[in-house]
Structures are given as C-alpha cells and as structure tokens.
Amino acid sequence: MKRLYTSIIILLASMPMLAQGWPEKYDGIMLQGFYWDSYTDTNWANLESQADELSQYFSLIWVPNSAYANDLKNNMGYHPVYWFDHKSAFGTEAQLRSMIQTFKQKGTGIIEDVVINHRASVDGNWLNFPAETYKGETYQLTAADICQDDESKNSGYSPTGAKDTGRGWGGARDLDHTSANVQKNVNAYLDFLLNDLGYVGFRYDFVLGYAPRYIGQYNQTAKPQFSVMECWEKYSTILTWLNGTKVDGVIQSAAFDFPMKTNINDVFSNASNWSKLNNDALSTNEELARYAVTFVDNHDTGRQGESPLYANVEAANAFILTLPGTPCVWLSHWKTYKTTIKKLILTRKAAGLNSQSSIVTKQATSNGYVLTVQGTKGNVMLLLGTATANTDGYKLAVEGSNFKMYVTNGVDLSALDNIKDDTFTIPDCCVVGEGEVCAFFEAPASYTGIKCWAWDSKNNYTGGTWPGQACTKVGTNNGNNVWKWTYTGTLTTLPTNIIFNGSFGQTSDLDFKNGGYYNEAGALQGTVTGIQLPTATTGGNRLLKVYTIDGHLLRILPSDTTEAEALNQLKHGIYVINGKKIVK
C-alpha cells in the first residue's frame, strides 16, 4: 500500500494543474508596454530592441490586441475584425512573433490584450464577419452569434442570438457567449494565442460585457499561465466577478485592483486623507491578494486627464511596489521615472516580496502613511508623505518625492549600486527667446488641437476663456509632436500653474516652470535653458546664444571674438570662446 500511495502522488504531481488564474505567491512585476496611440514608440520591433533592459525588471509585458482590425495606422485593436490574422498598427505578424520569442528567451512572458466581448465587421455590413482557418478548420461568426439586444437591431440588422449576459458595448457587435459557435471560436482563438503565437496569458478587456462564468470556462480550456480581467468597478462588484469565474470552487482569473486605484487617486492627488489607503481593496485582502494586479495608471486612466497624480507618481509607484499583489507599471511612468522605478523593483525583489506577502503595518497619520510588508528575505517599510516611524533595524533603500523606502538591515541591496541616473535630452526644436515666457508639451501625433491654460491666484495668462490659447507645433521627438505655448503680453509675475488640453482631454493642474518641457502625462522632463537671441551687433560681432548654468549667464560668441572684446562688451556672466570658459 505504501508503494501504491507513493506512485499515486508521483502521478498527480506529473499531471497538468488546473488553471487557477494567477500563480501562487508570484514575485514577478508586469509592465504595460504601451499607452494610447503609441504606435511608433511601442511597435513590436521597438519593444524587442529593449528586451535586454526590460527583461531585467519585468517578468510580464502586457501589449495591445495584436489582431488585424482593418487599419494598420491608427487602430489600438479594441474593435478587432480578425482573430487569426495578426498584422496590426504595431507591426507585422513576423515582427510580433520575433518580439514574443526574444522576450521568452530572456525569461519575460508577453500578455495579450484579449477582446472577446465584441467584434467588428469586415465592411459596412455590421454582421459580416470573416471566415478564418486554423489547424485545418474554418471559424466564422454569424448573426446568430450576436446578442439580440445589440445596437445593430436599430439600424436595420437582425441579430438573433440570446440576450446579452452583461453590459452592452455600442462600438462593435456584442457576442452571445451562450452560443456554442461563439465558444468554439473563442476557444480556438485563445489556443492560437498561446500555442501558436507564444503568448503566456491574457488581459481580458471589458469583462463586464458578459457573465463571469465564461472566463472560467475559457481559461479551463485554454489553460493560460496568467489571466487578468479589466473589471472597472467597485470592490463588491469585482468580488462578485472573481467568485463568478470559479470552477470547482477555484477562482480562474486575477483582476486589476481598481478599488485600490480609486484609493490612490483620492490620496495622492493632494497628499492628504491618508486613511483612504485602508479602504477595501483586493491587494490588502489576505485571501484575494494573489489575484490582485495593482496599478497607478494605464492607457485609459492616464490619457484623458483622469489621473490627478502627476505630483506624486513616484510615491504612488513606491506604494504599489510595496503592496502584496502583482504590480503593473505603466510604460509612461517607466519612461519618465525609470531610475526610481528600477530601484523600487530591485528593492522589492531583494526583500522577497510577492503577491501574497503579509502586511505587518498599514497606518495612516495626519501627514502620511506607514506600510510595512514582510518578504521572504526581509521586511520593506514605506513612509509616505512626511510620516515618521521607528526605523531601528532598517536601512534606507530608495528615497524620492514624498516617500522613503526602508528594508531590514539583512537585505542585500547591492543590485542597486549598478543603477545610474537616466538623463532626458531636450529636443533641438525647443528654443526660448530672450525674456520669453513659454512652456513645451510633447504628445502623441494623434493628439490634436493642443491648447494651454496658465494662471496664478490673481491672473490668467492665456486669454481667460477656457480652453485657453492655441499652442504651436515646433517639431517632433520619438515620433511625438512637440508643442510650444508663448505668453504674448506684458507681465511682472510668472504663472504658477499650467494645463495642456486638446483632443485627448487635459492634463492635471501642473506647476509652471518657465521653459518647462512636459510629457503627455504632465510630468516635467526638464527645462529648456537655451535662449536664442535675435541677430545683434556688439562691436562688430554677432551674439549667437545665451544659456543659463547654475544661475549664471553663459554666452557663446563667434570664434573671431577676442577675450578682450568679450569682457568689454558683456559686463557679467560666463563666456565661451573656442571652447575656453572665461568668468567675470
């Protein structure tokens, strides 16, 4: 009997595990490898070129839906037409396969943005779906696979499926997931993603559009290593959804922690109301933290001016990288705060934090918050705002705007020694005139109608009527457009705040910096310090440029200017002639 029992144990251990939505005690970090309209910045070839760096920090990268959607230029893939043809606005199928394989070889899996709630038609006929072949079998949807209460019925079409099991989506045809044909198509599609293209898992888009039991069914068939749902709702609704995916009593998918996102917005927008970080969330629920994917922003919350976190993005990322759950870092934040985020990730790994780590302390004070989480190699203590705590037995690991992260003394932080500060280079198209008050805004090429709104407590500097003054396109950078706003009146004070707005919505209220260069997230990347003077004559020599260095003026003069001429003509500042610096 003993020998038989041992054999049974070995047999069970060798059998494939049932899909369970997300690995137990997962210690990886996810990157959302795109933002809205990031076609140039995040095409498959460009992402692949960054594999050496990204794979050092991220075990998973979530990419947009890669299926063909009838537009290879400006389509994010959220209204897919085809499921088995994967040329897209982000690159060819060959480039996609190469990118997936390159990351796989470096230990990083790619998560596909799966859109199965709805589907678009091939042409103007709303119910005309393509016939596609996979493994010798043809797959096609018909009017019988579209919910009978779909919007197409109001435009002369006759969908004949069952009633929708979730919420409707007006942009494309809602699939009837009670249909055996829909389930057959979806199962084949998911199999293709995992076993042909090489994805490791799914990010299910708009799961509120159908009943949660279908996620359980599809994952049981496909068996992805990772599954996370976009259930953009309150805590109680997400709990219902997680439980609704159960098969044999086991949850079949993780979910983005939108309740914690709400708490983060409430607190970090003004660095107050710290107790709200203790409100219900998946990542702070010991039983559900395994299934929590935490985030600060994503392509939706960050693109429409919805996120108020621009002054505290670093601190908010420090928070999710300390919490249990699986942190998902947004690409825009990674690009803007790369040095800090690298250090935060390496500190999390050094302490051995994972999705089910235990929270030791979560204490709100009047001026901040203290979070302590126990890892397998030591504890991490995060101080937010100006909170203080007893740090005996701890050492400082990372410090940034409105946060300090400590670890217990025994944690090895040597990996942080190799992190070098990243620098941002201001594009050459950015020039500030003498005495000019201005600001620059870099945004995706699809953003149009860019305007500026600048003010202080007493004055408005952009016309006084929303949305303010139009900006001027002055150049491009990394495939994005660079816009400039210039104040045209007479002033004795500078604005204190600025907003950029346009077709994308608007940024949050930003601190104004003269010559400031802001990215699409509203983060200040740097200050344009070069001042291009108009052509002028000073003793027969033309003055070319003026810069500021450490508060001093730097004038670069023509090479035929003598040192004596420079000192006579220009009474103060720093002078450079033929590479020689002269200070007076």
Side-chain angles (χ1 to χ4, degrees), residues 45-63:
N46 195 30
L47 279 179
E48 182 176 359
S49 71
Q50 302 171 60
D52 285 341
E53 178 183 35
L54 294 177
S55 62
Q56 295 180 56
Y57 301 94
F58 300 102
S59 301
L60 298 170
I61 299 179
W62 157 29
V63 300

Side-chain angles (χ1 to χ4, degrees), residues 221-539:
T221 300
K223 293 181 171 55
Q225 296 178 53
F226 302 90
S227 170
V228 56
M229 306 179 299
E230 182 209 25
C231 185
W232 196 334
E233 260 293 348
K234 60 186 178 181
Y235 182 70
S236 59
T237 302
I238 296 181
L239 290 187
T240 298
W241 250 90
L242 286 172
N243 289 322
T245 70
K246 286 182 177 179
V247 175
D248 295 331
V250 178
I251 292 173
Q252 297 297 307
S253 181
F256 284 102
D257 197 350
F258 277 95
M260 184 55 79
K261 164 61 176 171
T262 298
N263 300 342
I264 288 172
N265 275 8
D266 289 344
V267 172
F268 288 94
S269 59
N270 54 15
S272 65
N273 300 318
W274 294 99
S275 62
K276 289 188 176 182
L277 292 180
N278 290 332
N279 288 353
D280 287 339
L282 301 181
S283 50
T284 54
N285 182 319
E286 186 175 351
E287 294 182 359
L288 296 175
R290 168 181 177 175
Y291 302 105
V293 177
T294 56
F295 67 104
V296 173
D297 265 321
N298 63 29
H299 62 295
D300 284 322
T301 67
R303 74 184 173 110
Q304 298 290 356
E306 296 173 9
S307 175
L309 307 176
Y310 301 121
N312 290 290
V313 169
E314 284 185 310
N317 275 280
F319 182 60
I320 67 166
L321 284 161
T322 306
L323 281 172
T326 298
C328 181
V329 175
W330 188 33
L331 180 66
S332 294
H333 291 168
W334 166 255
K335 292 173 61 178
T336 304
Y337 307 100
K338 185 181 291 187
T339 299
T340 298
I341 292 176
K342 283 182 177 180
K343 293 178 180 178
L344 292 169
I345 290 174
L346 291 180
T347 300
R348 179 183 178 91
K349 291 179 177 295
L353 298 189
N354 62 54
S355 60
Q356 293 170 270
S357 292
S358 298
I359 295 176
V360 179
T361 305
K362 51 175 185 175
Q363 179 182 3
T365 68
S366 60
N367 58 352
Y369 192 85
V370 181
L371 174 66
T372 308
V373 180
Q374 181 180 5
T376 59
K377 302 175 185 177
N379 288 1
V380 176
M381 179 190 293
L382 180 68
L383 305 183
L384 295 170
T386 57
T388 59
N390 182 358
T391 57
D392 290 346
Y394 285 81
K395 58 186 176 183
L396 183 64
V398 191
E399 182 176 7
S401 176
N402 284 324
F403 81 89
K404 291 182 180 180
M405 178 180 281
Y406 294 83
V407 295
T408 45
N409 287 333
V411 173
D412 181 7
L413 295 178
S414 58
L416 276 67
D417 296 337
N418 298 322
I419 304 299
K420 297 180 180 179
D421 290 343
D422 293 292
T423 58
F424 179 81
T425 302
I426 300 291
D428 292 337
C429 61
C430 298
V431 175
V432 178
E434 184 176 22
E436 186 177 21
V437 174
C438 62
F440 299 86
F441 180 59
E442 179 182 319
S446 61
Y447 289 12
T448 59
I450 306 299
K451 291 182 172 61
C452 174
W453 180 259
W455 76 100
D456 61 22
S457 59
K458 296 181 180 179
N459 304 301
N460 183 277
Y461 299 84
T462 44
T465 302
W466 180 263
Q469 293 178 339
C471 298
T472 302
K473 180 183 172 182
V474 295
T476 60
N477 187 47
N478 294 325
N480 296 328
N481 288 333
V482 179
W483 301 84
K484 179 181 180 181
W485 166 73
T486 300
Y487 179 71
T488 56
T490 301
L491 49 72
T492 56
T493 60
L494 294 177
T496 57
N497 296 96
I498 190 169
I499 288 175
F500 293 97
N501 61 83
S503 61
F504 67 98
Q506 67 181 67
T507 66
S508 186
D509 296 357
L510 311 175
D511 292 333
F512 175 79
K513 181 80 171 179
N514 194 27
Y517 190 95
Y518 302 86
N519 68 7
E520 62 168 304
L524 181 66
Q525 301 290 280
T527 303
V528 180
T529 55
I531 302 175
Q532 179 74 55
L533 292 178
T535 300
T537 300
T538 55

Side-chain angles (χ1 to χ4, degrees), residues 74-257:
N74 298 298
N75 195 307
M76 291 294 294
Y78 286 100
H79 288 165
V81 177
Y82 294 84
W83 277 354
F84 299 93
D85 182 348
H86 282 253
K87 57 179 178 288
S88 72
F90 293 88
T92 66
E93 184 172 310
Q95 290 172 323
L96 173 66
R97 290 178 181 273
S98 177
M99 184 264 292
I100 291 174
Q101 186 62 27
T102 294
F103 275 104
K104 181 179 180 180
Q105 292 171 351
K106 296 181 183 297
T108 297
I110 305 299
I111 298 286
E112 157 77 337
D113 204 323
V114 173
V115 184
I116 57 172
N117 171 69
H118 50 266
R119 195 166 175 185
S121 62
V122 175
D123 51 29
N125 182 334
W126 288 13
L127 301 181
N128 183 19
F129 304 102
E132 301 182 87
T133 301
Y134 175 54
K135 292 183 177 180
E137 187 167 356
T138 299
Y139 296 89
Q140 187 173 24
L141 300 179
T142 70
D145 300 311
I146 305 305
C147 297
Q148 63 182 256
D149 44 359
D150 180 77
E151 294 79 8
S152 59
K153 68 176 184 176
N154 300 322
S155 298
Y157 297 93
S158 300
T160 58
K163 288 187 176 181
D164 204 329
T165 59
R167 300 178 187 177
W169 178 261
R173 308 291 60 79
D174 288 354
L175 304 190
D176 170 19
H177 287 273
T178 71
S179 162
N181 188 48
V182 168
Q183 294 176 19
K184 173 185 173 182
N185 275 254
V186 171
N187 286 332
Y189 170 44
L190 299 182
D191 181 80
F192 173 73
L193 293 175
L194 293 177
N195 299 313
D196 196 313
L197 290 180
Y199 286 107
V200 299
F202 313 135
R203 178 266 188 186
Y204 284 106
D205 176 70
F206 192 59
V207 297
L208 292 168
Y210 47 94
R213 64 181 178 274
Y214 296 109
I215 292 291
Q217 292 179 21
Y218 294 139
N219 281 352
Q220 273 291 298
T221 300
K223 293 181 171 55
Q225 296 178 53
F226 302 90
S227 170
V228 56
M229 306 179 299
E230 182 209 25
C231 185
W232 196 334
E233 260 293 348
K234 60 186 178 181
Y235 182 70
S236 59
T237 302
I238 296 181
L239 290 187
T240 298
W241 250 90
L242 286 172
N243 289 322
T245 70
K246 286 182 177 179
V247 175
D248 295 331
V250 178
I251 292 173
Q252 297 297 307
S253 181
F256 284 102
D257 197 350

Side-chain angles (χ1 to χ4, degrees), residues 38-48 89-91 95 99:
S38 61
Y39 310 110
T40 300
D41 193 15
T42 66
N43 64 66
W44 310 139
N46 195 30
L47 279 179
E48 182 176 359
F90 293 88
Q95 290 172 323
M99 184 264 292

